[in-house]
Amino acid sequence: VHPAKPYMSMPSQKVWGLGMLLYLLAQPLYVFVLTLAPQTVVAPLGCVIIWINAMTTRFVLGETVTATDAFGFVLIFLCSALVLSFGPRDSALDPHDLNPTTNHAFLFFLIG
């Protein structure tokens, strides 16, 4: 049996501070991407960030992923794909714009 750790508030935990720092550093990249890509592309891709956060909590915080969580992840991906496929389009947008090797704005979004 492990002894109980003393309670630490969220801002005093190192992982929380690192996460907040990374979040703040990513915001200028997000603003940069919004200047180069339409909101109809950036917003659905932002939903994928929820999935990435949920999956990393499994490894960082040891949280379990339930069947309901997995269903939610699949739903996020499907809905994002539907919005990107059938949503309003900018006349200059084509699948080439979503290739991170050719579109540096999309690459910045993925990094951020």
Side-chain angles (χ1 to χ4, degrees):
V1 176
H2 299 288
K5 292 182 180 179
Y7 176 75
M8 292 176 59
S9 66
M10 284 284 220
S12 64
Q13 295 179 13
K14 290 180 183 179
V15 173
W16 188 89
L18 177 64
M20 185 57 72
L21 178 67
L22 290 175
Y23 173 78
L24 292 174
L25 291 174
Q27 295 314 302
L29 289 175
Y30 186 72
V31 171
F32 176 69
V33 167
L34 285 175
T35 63
L36 300 175
Q39 180 71 24
T40 55
V41 172
V42 176
L45 292 174
C47 294
V48 176
I49 293 171
I50 296 170
W51 181 83
I52 292 170
N53 288 341
M55 292 308 294
T56 55
T57 60
R58 178 175 185 236
F59 302 108
V60 175
L61 301 176
E63 293 185 7
T64 59
V65 177
T66 64
T68 305
D69 295 334
F71 177 73
F73 299 153
V74 170
L75 197 61
I76 287 171
F77 274 122
L78 289 177
C79 291
S80 295
L82 288 173
V83 168
L84 287 172
S85 299
F86 300 110
R89 296 191 178 273
D90 185 5
S91 60
L93 182 66
D94 62 11
H96 178 74
D97 292 333
L98 298 177
N99 184 348
T101 60
T102 58
N103 185 345
H104 299 295
F106 187 67
L107 180 63
F108 284 129
F109 175 80
L110 290 177
I111 292 170

